[in-house]
């Protein structure tokens, strides 16, 4: 099986928002719309005994995506070859069920075309495996990795292999959606916070 | 060519071809608006051009992708040695900035009053003629000193030629907030102390920590440095990679910056108290004998006995008149004095000649007092110890608002590592301690022997760091000129004898005579310009970059004393967002006869001050192939990827103006020295390209461009770049090379600080400036005039720094950056905020003794109670054509209106841009300021349909 996803190393991420705008230029998003957003976690604690990290949040490429489950037309789907979660704009009716169903709030409406939109892992660049998403390519801290979670030779697998289990996290998953995106955060930088 | 699945339709959608260019009275040629469906569905060819980003002071190689001649994408170049494919949001923003409706594509003349924002397009011929005629009228009436010029910082769009422009016109005033308030003090003090590079990461002087060829550093101290936000994809990437290699970091910063958040130890210091902390480090290191004994004894001047009257080291022949200095150059070219120490071997006063440590006849005591010529004299080390002695960990902790055990932990981390160094950020350049702080940071690395060693921040790279003779340094190093004395016969090159310096001066004068100019007159006039420069009797350290004291210039404009600068040639963006006490500057705007500005965008400064605007190329439009475009050992070409309108090259426009002035006056010799400008400006692109070709080893620029794979980048081999122990190699005089200082050693006790205060030596030799009080030769604690320890009326200390989103003034027009950071955030501890009933997200008014401005409160535990942090800001939307009642956009949200121009560092005259006192109150959003994403629609690109044009002044 192929599970294309992102691994984001928060030990490196400095919250610069380059992923946010690189995505907007590449995917031609208008003002106010984003496929990925930067959350600042902290500083938590009481000055000066505090810690802080940044958490970029985009589609988590779930195993059991709720957006797909609730879509009445099948427009929301996982690509059979890569398992990337995508939207078929020809069949999307703009009902917004998927937007409400997504536990991570990373889908939005393309108001111009009346359809749901989301991160495609830059499928226009990565579809033929020729390139990586622009957020990965340009990340100023070299903290974003793209590839197949099931391929031990992929960039994501190799980066994950450098860290112990205590450093590898996923966003909370109360609904059992099975996010495949992984976040690396070493306890020496900050304790991972469960946000939901 | 690259395969692509994009269609023209997607491009058309991306091009918001609004007519907002009408804001500047311009029209856009929207050739793509009429695109038909069949054309739009056809795949387009995408081509790639390798160039180099200039989104901040640094350089990241990048790739621009074009479709139909329009830049549709930028991305980092994976081959880049530091950025490795990264490109940050400042750089990416260029794809909007270059096509922004706010770009100015033609010369513009103000037709209304200043502040009316009423402009008309004129031709370049008209513009250059107008500027030159105004100059001639003004200078003919009021003299050469009526002319002055200005620029921003070293990373600006206009280069170092501005330092030369004042001289070319026989004037003496040039200001740059990005000099005495940014980098000049740290760079200058490093040159004074060891003649080598400095501890600034941002300026690519400190790069050894990023050495991946032979990585050694174990601990890096980032003292007030924030590479992750300042040079995000370049040194930001490098520190991320460095930390991932396991290097430990100590971050000393009032704010929990991104680098502080990743640090192994964060010392949240009270702004402005840094020199107290430095002295506590000295004390701890001296007391616990953690310093490098051999290096401190033999490679620093701390063992030298100091004459208490002159404060200068005794030379051996002052004590022993017949002493023969074994290091004396029999040819009389180089100077290597012998000094006086107290020798532990003989337990007596002894001459201390220069030699390799193992060849030294003495074992000098670093800390002692001895009788010299009947006078009790201390060693420089003893003087340093006595200055540091009161600064116990506990006293420093109290003064700096830190925990004593954390200070100790930091010192232990720094000293225990075999390979470590200090990186010193810009903070102190913007405070009253701008000379004392680098004396401290450099001195600490020097007593630890961390000079020219693996991992040490004070390690030179490449051939420039390697000398085969006794090293020399010419201060007032100008672009393209090794030293000003080689041109006018003014100034002393350190390391050479008086005999040689006098010969060098005579040679310069001969060259003037050969050119038919009176050599004595040229020397005298140049020296007089230096003596008459505003503020220089007090702040002589500013001679290092030929800078005027900014406050003295403003005062002279206001009062006409001692003379009135009247004609300004401005080459940067928004002075009203960058100068201290911006309101005081606004108040003198009408004291200017004529103001010319060359830049890419109109700013608040344009709005309030400027009569004639000369449009420059954005970085996707101009070419450069010089050492300014280097990342570590690789120098890249910056290429002309596109070209819009009549924009011109930043190094050519000043020459056009200068040539026209000479023409109107009737000859090139009718200004003081036109030719000096040619060391960094050109008449046309052909001349510029010829000078760049050699950087790449190509015979012509055309050849370099046509065979780019061969020439771009120019590479220095790793083993020739990452050099070490340069000072230990043997020079032509059979002695170790040493350092480019008076003593040939690291001057932890910096004698040049004293010498320049007294006469302006070495800058002005054989002339002398009026003496002022001595500048301290060592780190002493300097508290800000306005500080939290004494100020009850304005109880909060405001400090500042960069965020990820901005660098050049242009970037405030980036809609994609502004929607993420629409207004400046005033960071404040929740305990402090609650005292003022301020909640997170509230608009606040920040009030200093100068003025007031606004920001949005962000409550954070990442800063101490009693301190607020806000970045400088300005709001170009305030004079957008959509505004009903426009303003210059510099009062609404701008820290510069709060800052001071008056309190100043003793040596450099650095004004206080950080660490001063304010009070705050809850407020409301100022009018005109945009906060919602959709409000930034008028900043979205509209010029993609512009016709491609040729370079002006080819």
């Amino acid at each position: 099986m192929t599970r294309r996803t992102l691994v984001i190393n928060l030990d490196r991420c400095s919250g610069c928002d380059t992923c946010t705008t690189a995505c907007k230029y590449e995917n031609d998003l208008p003002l106010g719309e984003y496929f990925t957003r930067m959350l600042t976690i902290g500083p938590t604690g009481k000055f000066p005994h505090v810690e802080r990290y940044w958490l970029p949040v985009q589609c988590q490429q779930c195993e059991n995506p709720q957006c797909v489950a609730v879509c009445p037309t099948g427009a929301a789907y996982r690509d059979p070859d890569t398992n990337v979660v995508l939207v078929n704009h020809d069949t999307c009716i703009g009902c917004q069920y998927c937007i409400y169903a997504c536990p991570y709030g990373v889908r939005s409406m393309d108001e111009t075309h009346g359809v749901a939109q989301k991160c495609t892992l830059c499928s226009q660049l990565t579809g033929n495996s020729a390139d990586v998403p622009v957020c990965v390519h340009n990340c100023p801290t070299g903290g974003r990795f793209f590839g197949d979670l099931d391929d031990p030779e992929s960039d994501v697998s190799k980066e994950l292999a450098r860290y112990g289990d205590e450093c590898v996290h996923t966003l909370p998953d109360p609904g059992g959606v099975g996010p495949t995106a992984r976040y690396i955060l070493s306890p020496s930088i900050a304790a991972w916070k469960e946000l939901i | 060519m690259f395969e692509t699945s994009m269609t023209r339709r997607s491009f058309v959608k991306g091009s918001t071809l609004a007519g907002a260019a009408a804001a500047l009275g311009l029209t856009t040629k929207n050739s793509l608006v009429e695109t038909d469906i069949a054309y739009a569905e056809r795949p387009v060819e995408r081509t790639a051009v390798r160039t180099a980003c200039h989104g901040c002071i640094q350089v990241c190689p990048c790739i621009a992708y074009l479709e139909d001649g329009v830049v549709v994408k930028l991305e980092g170049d994976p081959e880049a040695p530091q950025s490795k494919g990264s490109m940050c949001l400042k750089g990416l923003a260029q794809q909007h900035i270059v096509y922004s409706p706010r770009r100015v594509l033609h010369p513009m003349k103000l037709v209304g009053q200043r502040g009316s924002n009423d402009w008309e397009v004129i031709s370049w011929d008209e513009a250059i003629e107008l500027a030159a005629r105004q100059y001639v009228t003004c200078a003919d009436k009021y003299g050469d000193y009526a002319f002055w010029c200005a620029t921003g910082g070293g990373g600006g769009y206009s280069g170092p030629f501005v330092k030369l422009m004042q001289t070319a016109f026989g004037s003496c005033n040039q200001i740059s907030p990005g000099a005495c308030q940014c980098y000049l003090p740290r760079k200058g003090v490093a040159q004074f102390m060891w003649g080598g590079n400095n501890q600034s990461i941002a300026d690519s002087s400190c790069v050894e920590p990023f050495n991946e060829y032979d990585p050694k550093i174990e601990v890096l101290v980032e003292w007030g440095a924030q590479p992750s936000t300042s040079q995000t994809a370049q040194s930001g990437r490098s520190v991320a990679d460095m930390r991932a290699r396991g290097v430990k970091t100590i971050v000393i910063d009032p704010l929990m910056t991104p680098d502080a958040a990743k640090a192994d130890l964060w010392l949240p210091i009270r702004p402005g108290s840094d020199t107290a902390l430095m002295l506590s480090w000295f004390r701890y290191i001296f007391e616990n004998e953690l310093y490098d004994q051999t290096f401190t004894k033999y490679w620093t001047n701390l063992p030298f006995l100091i004459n208490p009257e002159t404060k200068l080291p005794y030379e051996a022949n002052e004590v022993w008149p017949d002493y023969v200095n074994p290091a004396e150059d029999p040819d009389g070219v180089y100077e290597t004095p012998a000094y006086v120490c107290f020798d532990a071997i003989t337990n007596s006063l002894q001459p201390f000649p220069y030699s390799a440590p193992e060849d030294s006849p003495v074992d000098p005591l670093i800390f002692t007092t001895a009788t010299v010529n009947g006078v009790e004299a201390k060693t420089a080390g003893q003087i340093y110890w006595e200055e540091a002695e009161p600064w116990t960990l506990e006293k420093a902790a109290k003064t700096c608002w830190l925990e004593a055990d954390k200070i100790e932990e930091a010192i232990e981390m720094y000293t225990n590592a075999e390979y470590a160094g200090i990186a010193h950020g810009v903070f102190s350049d913007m405070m009253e301690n701008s000379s004392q702080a680098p004396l401290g940071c450099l001195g600490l690395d020097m007593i630890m022997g961390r000079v020219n060693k693996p991992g040490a921040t004070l390690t030179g790279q490449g051939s420039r760091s390697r000398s085969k003779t006794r090293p020399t340094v010419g201060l007032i190093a100008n672009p393209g000129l090794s030293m000003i004395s080689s041109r006018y016969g003014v100034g002393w090159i350190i390391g050479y004898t008086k005999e040689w310096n006098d010969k060098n001066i005579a040679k310069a004068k001969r060259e003037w005579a050969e050119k038919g100019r009176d050599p004595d007159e040229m020397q005298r006039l140049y020296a007089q310009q230096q003596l008459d420069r505003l503020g220089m009797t007090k702040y002589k350290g500013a001679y290092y970059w030929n800078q005027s004291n900014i406050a003295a210039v403003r005062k002279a404009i206001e009062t006409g004393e001692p003379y009135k600068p009247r004609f300004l040639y401005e080459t940067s963006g928004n002075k009203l967002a960058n100068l201290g006490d911006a309101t005081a500057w606004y108040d003198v705007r009408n004291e200017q006869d004529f103001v010319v500005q060359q830049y890419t965008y109109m700013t608040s400064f344009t709005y309030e001050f400027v009569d004639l605007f000369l449009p420059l190329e954005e970085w996707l439009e101009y070419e450069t192939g010089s050492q300014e475009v280097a990342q570590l050992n690789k120098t890249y070409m910056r290429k002309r990827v596109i070209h819009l309108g009549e924009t011109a090259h930043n190094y050519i426009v000043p020459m056009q103006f200068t040539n026209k002035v000479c023409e109107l006056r009737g000859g090139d010799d009718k200004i003081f020295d036109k030719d000096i400008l040619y060391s960094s400006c050109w008449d046309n692109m052909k001349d510029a390209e010829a000078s760049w070709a050699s950087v790449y080893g190509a015979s012509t620029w055309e050849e370099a461009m046509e065979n780019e794979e061969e020439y771009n980048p120019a590479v220095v081999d790793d083993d020739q770049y990452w050099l070490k122990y340069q000072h230990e190699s043997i020079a032509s005089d059979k002695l170790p090379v040493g350092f480019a200082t008076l003593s040939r050693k690291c001057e932890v006790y910096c004698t040049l600080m004293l010498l320049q205060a007294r006469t302006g030596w070495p800058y002005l030799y054989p002339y002398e400036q009026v003496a002022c009080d001595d500048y301290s030769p060592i780190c002493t604690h300097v508290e800000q005039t306005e500080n939290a320890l004494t100020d009850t009326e304005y109880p909060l200390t405001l400090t500042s720094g960069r965020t990820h989103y901005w660098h050049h003034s242009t970037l405030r027009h980036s809609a994609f950056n502004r929607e993420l950071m629409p207004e400046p955030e005033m960071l404040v501890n929740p305990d402090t905020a609650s005292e003022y009933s301020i909640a997170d997200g509230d608009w606040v008014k920040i009030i200093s003794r100068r003025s007031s401005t606004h920001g949005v409160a962000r409550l954070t535990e990442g800063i101490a109670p009693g301190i607020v942090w806000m970045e400088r800001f300005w709001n170009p939307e305030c004079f957008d054509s959509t505004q009903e009642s426009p303003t210059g956009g510099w009062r609404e949200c701008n820290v510069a209106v709060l800052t001071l121009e008056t309190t100043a560092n003793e040596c450099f005259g650095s004004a206080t841009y950080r660490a001063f006192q304010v009070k705050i109150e809850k407020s409301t959003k100022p009018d005109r300021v945009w906060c919602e994403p959709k409000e930034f629609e008028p900043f979205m690109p509209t010029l993609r349909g512009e016709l491609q044009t040729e370079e002006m002044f080819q």
Side-chain angles (χ1 to χ4, degrees), chain B residues 60-120:
Chain B
C60 289
C62 66
I63 302 166
Y65 295 90
L66 294 101
E67 292 178 5
D68 289 334
V70 175
V71 175
V72 295
K73 179 173 179 170
L74 292 171
E75 69 180 14
D77 182 345
E79 301 299 316
Q82 271 190 284
S83 47
K84 302 175 183 172
S86 298
M87 187 168 187
C88 80
L89 76 172
K90 291 179 281 245
L92 292 173
Q94 176 76 182
Q95 56 199 300
H96 279 184
I97 291 291
V98 76
Y99 293 120
S100 168
R102 297 289 289 265
R103 279 296 303 284
V104 184
L105 301 184
H106 308 276
M108 306 289 267
K109 182 176 122 183
L110 183 70
V111 291
Q113 290 192 325
R114 287 178 184 147
S116 68
N117 205 28
D118 191 2
W119 303 89
E120 75 176 17

Side-chain angles (χ1 to χ4, degrees), chain A residues 23-40:
Chain A
C23 169
K24 291 190 59 141
Y25 293 115
E26 173 66 26
N27 295 294
D28 195 19
L29 298 181
L31 287 163
E33 293 183 25
Y34 316 89
F35 286 171
T36 180
R37 292 306 305 264
M38 184 64 68
L39 303 182
T40 302

Side-chain angles (χ1 to χ4, degrees), chain B residues 775-813:
Chain B
Y775 309 142
S776 175
I778 60 172
C779 177
T780 56
H781 179 49
V782 177
E783 195 64 61
Q784 292 287 90
T785 300
E786 287 188 8
N787 68 71
L789 306 180
T790 58
D791 199 330
T792 51
E793 188 183 356
Y794 292 81
L796 305 175
T797 303
L798 186 144
T799 191
S800 190
R802 284 202 187 278
T803 62
H804 290 110
Y805 302 89
W806 328 109
H807 188 90
H808 307 299
S809 299
T810 56
L811 281 162
R812 306 281 175 182
H813 301 82

